[in-house]
């Protein structure tokens, strides 16, 4: 990259917490550290239903085959084949070890998925603090949980970015831990545009009221039309 290209591009990465921190407070100000708010948990009704149906079908098939054998009928071919293979192959056989490892990995994956919160696209928001001397209704209001979709948050911040003078187009990608803003400027100095964009986006993040505000990365470059 030559010197002219370096002058046409300005990059800034800053943590939201360091930007808004203004000292100790009562825990409700804008610069105070976020409270402990848990993520939303997915109900997982469809995956749980599918797993239950598969287990019920396999269990019913095995139960039917065992009852058929007890009544004097021949076992199903697949169960005869599986019993013969397990009886004839040693424990250190590659297929036995590979199958056991696959089943163990599948079990670990299911346990991890069951313990994970899910709903990665939903960002939790701060709960309102009840005012001093307020009645039970204020406590119930503070107990209400709210969240915002990452796509919606990105659209809100993009609209904020488009309000900055000099910004021709902007794209904001909101992640769980980082917000990446990319903008094209068609007039004004890039450093000035970047500084104003950084300030506008930090203010937009603050107004979103997120429980765990992600870090902000801002990148501004000159559009191709403006270069010409």
């Amino acid at each position: 990259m030559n010197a002219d290209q370096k002058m046409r591009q300005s990059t800034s990465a800053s943590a939201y917490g360091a930007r808004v921190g203004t000292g100790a407070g009562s825990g409700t100000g804008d610069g105070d550290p976020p409270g402990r708010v848990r993520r939303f948990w997915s109900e997982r009704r469809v995956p749980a239903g599918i797993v239950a149906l598969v287990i019920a079908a396999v269990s019913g098939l095995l139960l039917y085959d065992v009852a058929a054998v007890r009544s004097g009928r021949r076992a199903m071919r697949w169960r005869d084949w599986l019993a013969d293979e397990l009886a004839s192959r040693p424990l250190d056989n590659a297929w036995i070890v590979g199958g056991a490892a696959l089943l163990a990995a599948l079990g670990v994956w299911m346990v991890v998925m069951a313990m994970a919160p899910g709903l990665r696209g939903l960002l939790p928001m701060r709960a309102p603090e009840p005012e001093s001397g307020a009645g039970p209704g204020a406590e119930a209001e503070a107990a209400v949980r709210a969240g915002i979709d990452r796509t919606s948050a990105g659209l809100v911040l993009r609209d904020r970015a488009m309000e900055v003078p000099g910004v021709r187009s902007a794209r904001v990608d909101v992640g769980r831990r980082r917000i990446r803003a990319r903008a094209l400027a068609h007039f004004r100095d890039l450093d000035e545009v970047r500084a104003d964009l950084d300030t506008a986006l930090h203010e937009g993040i603050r107004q979103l009221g997120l429980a765990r505000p992600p870090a902000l990365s801002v990148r501004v470059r000159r559009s191709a039309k403006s270069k010409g």
Side-chain angles (χ1 to χ4, degrees):
M1 180 179 292
N2 55 36
D4 181 67
Q5 289 177 330
K6 290 182 179 179
M7 293 179 61
R8 291 177 177 272
Q9 184 167 313
S10 176
T11 305
S12 170
S14 55
Y16 173 79
R19 175 67 178 266
V20 300
T22 57
S26 60
T28 59
D30 297 334
D32 298 326
R36 186 177 181 83
V37 178
R38 297 183 180 274
R39 287 176 53 189
F40 290 90
W41 279 76
S42 174
E43 295 182 355
R44 298 182 175 92
R45 294 179 179 176
V46 175
I50 294 175
V51 173
L53 289 176
V54 171
I55 293 177
V58 173
S59 301
L61 184 62
L62 289 175
L63 182 60
Y64 170 80
D65 191 50
V66 171
V69 172
R70 292 294 182 180
S71 63
R73 297 182 181 179
R74 183 178 178 82
M76 294 183 181
R77 293 183 179 180
W78 67 268
R79 200 159 75 92
D80 285 340
W81 174 84
L82 182 60
D84 293 339
E85 290 292 328
L86 293 177
S88 59
R89 291 180 182 271
L91 294 179
D92 59 350
N93 183 267
W95 287 100
I96 299 297
V97 175
L102 179 61
L103 291 177
L106 181 60
V108 171
W109 177 76
M110 293 183 66
V111 171
V112 172
M113 290 295 101
M115 296 179 63
L119 296 179
R120 297 174 62 87
L122 192 62
L123 299 176
M125 303 173 67
R126 290 194 303 266
E129 295 289 340
E131 299 180 359
S132 58
E139 297 181 358
E141 181 180 356
V144 175
R145 301 185 61 195
I148 183 171
D149 183 73
R150 283 162 48 183
T151 303
S152 301
L155 292 176
V156 172
L157 295 178
R158 188 199 64 180
D159 292 342
R160 277 301 193 106
M162 293 301 298
E163 295 176 358
V164 176
V167 174
R168 181 184 184 91
S169 63
R171 176 180 177 181
V172 181
D173 298 322
V174 178
R176 292 180 51 236
R177 295 182 176 87
R178 181 172 294 274
I179 297 176
R180 293 178 174 84
R182 304 293 180 264
L184 294 178
H186 57 105
F187 70 92
R188 297 182 66 197
D189 182 73
L190 287 181
D191 290 333
E192 295 180 359
V193 175
R194 194 271 306 160
D196 292 346
L197 183 61
D198 193 75
T199 301
L201 291 179
H202 274 99
E203 179 64 17
I205 295 174
R206 184 190 66 81
Q207 293 183 355
L208 287 177
L210 300 178
R212 299 181 182 90
L216 176 62
S217 173
V218 178
R219 182 177 180 181
V220 180
R221 61 187 178 89
R222 189 73 68 189
S223 63
K225 294 183 179 180
S226 299
K227 291 180 182 179

